[in-house]
């Protein structure tokens, strides 16, 4: 039990320390209210932020369009029957080769006469869904790992943090690239590679937060009342330390999207011809070499990259807004308390 | 704690990390299905099984894993990473030949990032919440959101191909000649953009925070010109927070080199790694991975030491 600040002494149930505090029922109610109003505040502050709303709209439209672009079937069952893009993204020869953007092909066509608009809209599927799944997996594992490390401290913390240092010694993209190179590409291998690379950041963030939260009286009170470690961690420590993790998760979706596209661009991850943003760019990058003053079929490289940029930018704007909202809340608590 | 003691402790703490890096790298080689002999047999099915067993013995693959690890480490420590299968060259010779190219590119990226980020961050913090700040925040946000491979392609298409201001071919001169700058500018800017944007955001935040502190009010009150307050007092303190992310930014530049070198055909380690991956040159992949890990650990160590030099309080926290 840490008593370095000398605020409460819990040695053999010191009653003075407990009488100083409110009754437990009142405490948990007011805490619950505060938690709820905190979320309401965050949401309302994001809604007030026009730029963040715009970012959210872009993310929503792009994700929805990618989802509805082509039917999805799992094991023979069609679970998503819509097909909103004008052409099949893998169908060749729906237009001339390298046709410039026009009404029938809003983003032009590629070297095999495939419709770029259909390809680019469908292309969001890969990066966006991998970004979401990876973030969920990495955040869950990272939060558990970092919580254990921060909560127990001492030897456990020392060992777990050294392991983390090893993961941090490899730049994320390089490690993901090696994993994909060794174990092969495809949707789930990419998810696995980026999750293996991504969890460490969450672990480090939550550990730092928990070291701070652990100092609070309510954690000591819960422990003194005989609550088990698991319930102290999940009910009291994590909910109060989670804010920076949420910010990191929002920002990391964009990072993973760029990472997946980067591997696609490097010719790893997906089969050539897959309508994935990075893979499209890889296939069309030779359109640049036309020589000075020559015609440049710019649409083939501009639009796929622009889509990645637009999505990641919107995601980062949302992340910034969430960060501001959470910071403001922290300031409020400081002022009120 | 004295500075010497801090540095010594910090170096000692890096040793288990370096060991971990070597174990992870070695493990990656060994969890992949099939060893080198399996690959040889797959390439040439006529190899009899006793010949395969003899080869395994020759390569030491019949030994327990930890013996294999020690053998491998012994090679690594003496600079022997094996050879490149396709060209029979020493892996270490290839790595050493490519390394200066990547270092030159990374340094250029760093210099570019610092030149953009420090003045940009100061400007944004001084004009906080005004139009200039909003614009520079938007630019910085774009900088961290733009995929570097696409930025590279677009820069190349516009400035090298269409306008013909920069060469498109692989570098034709030696690395140290001044005309090399023409080859360096586009990839250097591409690799430095994300670091510049990140650093600018950190610079703005930390500077804005410093500007609210009491010593600034005191300095202003005693009549120092605003310029002196900002450049002599506030800037020095905000630079400390930039050093804390220096190692992180170095890692992002190293990761960027893989992509950017491929876009621009830059003959460095990053492109070598991609080529090695496509040719399945395991020895080369491992050497570059291990080298990258060691380099990042070293960068972290240096960043911490610089941090402790600038801010003596940190020495006791370790």
């Amino acid at each position: 039990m840490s008593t370095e600040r000398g605020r409460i002494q819990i040695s053999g149930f010191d009653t003075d320390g407990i009488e100083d505090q409110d009754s437990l029922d009142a405490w948990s109610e007011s805490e619950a209210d505060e938690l709820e109003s905190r979320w309401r505040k965050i949401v309302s502050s994001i809604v007030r932020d026009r730029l963040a709303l715009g970012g959210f709209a872009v993310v929503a439209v792009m994700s929805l369009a990618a989802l509805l672009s082509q039917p999805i079937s799992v094991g023979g069952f069609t679970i998503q029957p819509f097909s909103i893009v004008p052409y099949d993204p893998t169908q060749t020869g729906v237009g001339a080769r390298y046709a410039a953007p026009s009404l029938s092909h809003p983003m032009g066509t590629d070297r095999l006469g495939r419709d770029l608009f259909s390809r680019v809209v469908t292309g969001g599927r890969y990066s966006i869904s991998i970004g979401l799944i990876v973030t969920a997996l990495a955040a869950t594992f990272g939060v558990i790992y970092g919580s254990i490390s921060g909560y127990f401290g001492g030897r456990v913390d020392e060992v777990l943090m050294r392991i983390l240092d090893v993961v941090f010694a490899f730049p994320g993209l390089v490690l993901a690239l090696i994993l994909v190179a060794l174990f092969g590409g495809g949707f789930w291998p990419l998810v696995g590679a980026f999750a293996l690379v991504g969890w460490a950041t969450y672990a480090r963030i939550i550990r730092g937060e928990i070291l701070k939260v652990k100092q609070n009286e309510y954690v000591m009170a819960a422990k003194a009342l005989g609550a088990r470690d698991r319930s102290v961690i999940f009910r009291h420590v994590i909910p109060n330390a989670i804010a920076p993790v949420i910010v990191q998760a929002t920002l990391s979706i964009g990072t993973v999207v760029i990472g997946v596209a980067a591997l696609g661009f490097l010719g790893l991850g997906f089969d050539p011809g897959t309508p994935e943003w990075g893979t499209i760019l890889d296939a069309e990058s030779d359109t640049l070499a036309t020589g000075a003053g020559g015609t440049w079929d710019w649409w083939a490289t501009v639009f796929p990259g622009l889509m990645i940029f637009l999505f990641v930018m919107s995601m980062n704007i949302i992340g910034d807004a969430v960060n501001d909202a959470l910071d403001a809340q922290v300031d409020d608590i400081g002022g009120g308390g | 704690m004295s500075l010497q003691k801090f540095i010594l402790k910090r170096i000692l703490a890096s040793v288990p990390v370096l060991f971990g890096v070597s174990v992870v790298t070695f493990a990656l080689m060994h969890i992949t299905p099939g060893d080198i002999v399996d690959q040889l047999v797959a390439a040439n099915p006529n190899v009899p099984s006793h010949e395969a067993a003899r080869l395994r013995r020759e390569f030491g693959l019949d030994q327990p894993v930890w013996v294999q690890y020690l053998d491998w480490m012994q090679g690594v420590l003496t600079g022997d990473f094996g050879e490149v299968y396709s060209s029979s060259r020493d892996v270490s010779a290839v790595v050493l030949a490519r390394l200066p190219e990547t270092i030159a590119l990374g340094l250029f990226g760093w210099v570019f990032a610092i030149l953009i980020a420090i003045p940009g961050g100061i400007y944004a913090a001084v004009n906080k919440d005004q139009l200039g700040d909003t614009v520079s925040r938007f630019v910085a946000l774009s900088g961290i959101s733009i995929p570097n491979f696409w930025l590279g392609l677009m820069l190349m298409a516009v400035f090298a191909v269409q306008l013909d201001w920069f060469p498109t071919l692989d570098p034709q001169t030696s690395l140290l000649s001044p005309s090399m700058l023409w080859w360096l500018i586009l990839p250097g800017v591409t690799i430095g953009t994300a670091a510049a944007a990140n650093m600018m955001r950190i610079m703005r935040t930390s500077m804005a925070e410093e500007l609210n502190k009491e010593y600034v009010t005191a300095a202003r009150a005693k009549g120092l010109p605003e310029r002196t307050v900002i450049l002599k007092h506030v800037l020095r303190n905000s630079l400390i927070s930039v050093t804390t992310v220096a190692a992180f930014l170095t890692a992002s530049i190293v990761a960027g080199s893989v992509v950017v070198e491929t876009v621009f055909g830059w003959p460095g380690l990053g492109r070598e790694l991609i080529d090695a991956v496509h040719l399945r040159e395991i020895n080369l992949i491992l050497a570059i991975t291990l080298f990258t890990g060691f380099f990042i650990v070293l960068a972290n160590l240096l960043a911490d030491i610089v941090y402790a030099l600038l801010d003596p309080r940190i020495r006791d926290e370790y």
Side-chain angles (χ1 to χ4, degrees):
Chain A
M1 185 70 44
S2 165
T3 55
E4 59 183 15
R5 290 193 187 170
R7 270 193 291 192
I8 45 171
Q9 309 269 323
I10 308 183
S11 50
F13 239 86
D14 186 351
T15 42
D16 292 351
I18 292 174
E19 276 169 5
D20 274 352
Q21 300 184 5
D22 301 336
S23 87
L24 196 67
D25 293 343
W27 170 78
S28 69
E29 252 172 47
S30 71
E31 182 72 0
D33 283 353
E34 201 169 279
L35 213 66
E36 202 192 304
S37 74
R38 181 202 288 192
W39 287 111
R40 202 175 298 151
K41 265 188 179 173
I42 292 168
V43 170
S44 74
S45 107
I46 292 173
V47 169
R48 273 202 308 274
D49 187 342
R50 291 250 181 87
L51 193 62
L53 264 188
F56 191 77
V58 171
V59 167
V61 167
M62 284 179 78
S63 310
L64 209 64
L67 185 70
L68 299 179
S69 59
Q70 285 284 291
I72 301 172
S73 54
V74 175
F77 275 105
T78 307
I79 53 171
Q80 195 285 101
F82 297 96
S83 172
I84 59 165
V85 291
Y87 300 96
D88 179 345
T90 52
Q91 178 70 47
T92 56
V94 296
R97 292 180 69 240
Y98 290 126
S102 62
L103 271 180
S104 54
H105 301 288
M107 294 186 183
T109 61
D110 69 2
R111 77 208 138 95
L112 296 175
R114 289 172 294 201
D115 180 51
L116 261 172
F117 178 73
S118 306
R119 286 176 74 70
V120 159
V121 169
T122 316
R125 281 185 174 186
Y126 302 88
S127 295
I128 296 173
S129 56
I130 292 178
L132 288 174
I133 299 172
V134 163
T135 302
L137 286 177
T140 309
F141 182 72
V143 163
I144 294 174
Y145 186 98
S147 306
I148 292 173
S149 185
Y151 181 77
F152 291 106
R155 254 321 136 64
V156 178
D157 186 40
E158 187 70 25
V159 172
L160 291 183
M161 283 301 114
R162 283 289 161 277
I163 295 175
L164 214 57
D165 284 345
V166 174
V167 179
F168 276 118
F170 299 99
L173 186 69
V174 175
L175 193 54
L177 186 149
I178 307 270
L179 286 170
V180 169
L182 292 176
F183 296 99
F187 189 90
W188 291 108
L190 278 171
V191 168
F194 279 97
L196 272 176
V197 167
W199 64 273
T201 314
Y202 299 97
R204 180 173 279 184
I205 290 175
I206 193 103
R207 173 184 171 268
E209 286 300 307
I210 280 177
L211 289 183
K212 276 188 246 161
V213 170
K214 217 166 68 164
Q215 305 288 333
N216 288 328
E217 281 96 345
Y218 59 80
V219 174
M220 299 190 185
K223 278 206 253 179
L225 288 167
R228 274 170 309 174
D229 283 338
R230 202 179 56 192
S231 94
V232 176
I233 293 181
F234 281 106
R235 294 188 50 186
H236 302 296
V237 176
I238 291 183
N240 287 291
I242 205 78
V245 172
I246 294 167
V247 176
Q248 170 64 25
T250 324
L251 294 173
S252 105
I253 294 176
T255 313
V256 177
V257 164
I258 288 190
V260 170
L263 291 193
F265 176 75
L266 294 171
L268 299 158
F270 293 101
D271 296 331
T274 309
E276 187 274 329
W277 291 334
T279 315
I280 298 176
L281 267 176
D282 178 31
E284 307 300 332
S285 61
D286 50 359
T287 55
L288 301 184
T290 48
T295 51
W296 169 31
D297 301 324
W298 53 271
W299 52 90
T301 44
V302 167
F303 288 121
L306 203 59
M307 293 300 261
I308 309 173
F309 179 45
L310 207 62
F311 183 86
V312 177
M313 180 88 177
S314 308
M315 220 54 233
N316 284 339
I317 287 174
I318 297 173
D320 267 11
V322 173
N323 193 17
D324 289 349
L326 292 172
D327 264 351
Q329 181 59 26
V330 170
D331 286 345
D332 279 3
I333 287 177
Chain B
M1 197 189 294
S2 71
L3 186 63
Q4 284 90 341
K5 211 172 155 199
F6 169 81
I7 294 177
L8 196 71
K9 264 188 115 170
R10 189 61 190 73
I11 290 175
L12 283 179
S14 309
V15 172
V17 179
L18 289 178
F19 172 71
V21 167
S22 74
V23 170
V24 168
T25 311
F26 181 78
L28 281 177
M29 168 167 55
H30 282 256
I31 354 173
T32 42
D35 55 25
I36 176 70
V37 176
D38 286 331
Q39 282 180 31
L40 289 175
V41 172
N44 184 2
N46 296 329
V47 178
S49 62
H50 64 85
E51 176 66 11
R54 194 192 63 77
L55 275 174
R56 281 215 170 76
R57 229 176 4 255
E58 193 185 314
F59 291 139
L61 293 173
D62 55 343
Q63 302 283 326
V65 174
W66 62 272
V67 175
Q68 292 187 40
Y69 171 76
L70 288 181
D71 276 353
W72 178 70
M73 264 323 275
Q74 204 179 359
V76 166
L77 291 175
T78 54
D80 177 16
F81 289 90
E83 62 177 30
V84 184
Y85 307 128
S86 57
S87 65
S88 298
R89 288 179 67 197
D90 268 355
V91 166
S92 46
V94 173
V95 170
L96 285 181
R98 301 296 201 166
L99 184 61
E101 305 279 349
T102 297
I103 290 180
L105 184 60
L107 271 182
F108 188 98
W110 252 114
V111 172
F112 170 77
I114 290 172
L115 288 181
I116 298 287
I118 305 289
I122 296 174
Y123 175 80
V126 171
N127 299 294
K128 195 164 180 282
D129 296 329
Q130 292 169 23
L131 183 66
D133 175 37
T134 313
V135 171
S136 73
R137 278 184 89 178
F138 206 75
V139 170
L141 203 62
S142 310
I144 58 169
S145 306
I146 199 162
N148 51 8
F149 48 94
W150 186 59
L151 177 65
L153 286 178
M154 292 298 110
L155 289 178
M156 193 158 72
V158 174
F159 295 106
V161 180
Q162 296 299 314
L163 297 173
D164 205 13
W165 292 353
F166 297 97
T168 44
L169 294 169
D170 288 7
Q172 307 287 322
T173 56
S174 85
L175 203 54
L176 292 175
S177 77
S179 60
M180 195 61 189
L181 204 60
W182 286 114
W183 274 279
L184 259 174
I185 286 178
L186 288 185
V189 167
T190 310
I191 210 173
T193 296
N198 262 313
M199 214 195 296
M200 197 162 133
R201 279 158 63 93
I202 290 157
M203 194 62 206
R204 172 185 177 275
T205 314
S206 73
M207 189 124 185
E209 220 165 81
E210 287 293 325
L211 277 171
N212 280 330
K213 292 203 171 148
E214 282 174 2
Y215 73 86
V216 179
T217 320
R220 281 177 183 154
K222 78 174 181 187
L224 284 183
E226 189 66 16
R227 212 183 146 76
T228 319
V229 175
I230 305 267
L231 293 183
K232 282 194 80 173
H233 297 274
V234 180
L235 181 60
R236 277 176 68 167
N237 283 319
S238 0
L239 281 179
I240 292 178
S241 64
V242 175
T243 58
T244 60
V245 292
F248 164 76
L249 292 181
T250 307
S252 82
I253 284 182
V254 170
S257 73
V258 175
V259 176
V260 173
E261 286 178 6
T262 307
V263 173
F264 288 94
W266 189 262
L269 274 184
R271 198 177 85 170
E272 192 67 44
L273 177 65
I274 299 299
D275 290 347
V277 160
H278 284 297
L279 295 170
R280 300 200 67 80
E281 292 283 1
I282 296 284
N283 283 345
L284 199 50
I285 299 176
L286 287 174
I288 297 176
T289 314
L290 192 68
F291 189 82
T292 309
F294 274 40
F295 180 75
I296 305 280
V297 172
L298 203 70
N300 269 307
L301 180 66
L302 278 178
D304 277 5
I305 291 176
V306 172
Y307 191 24
L309 271 173
L310 292 174
D311 187 354
R313 281 169 301 182
I314 205 72
R315 295 173 206 171
D316 295 321
E317 278 176 28
Y318 200 74

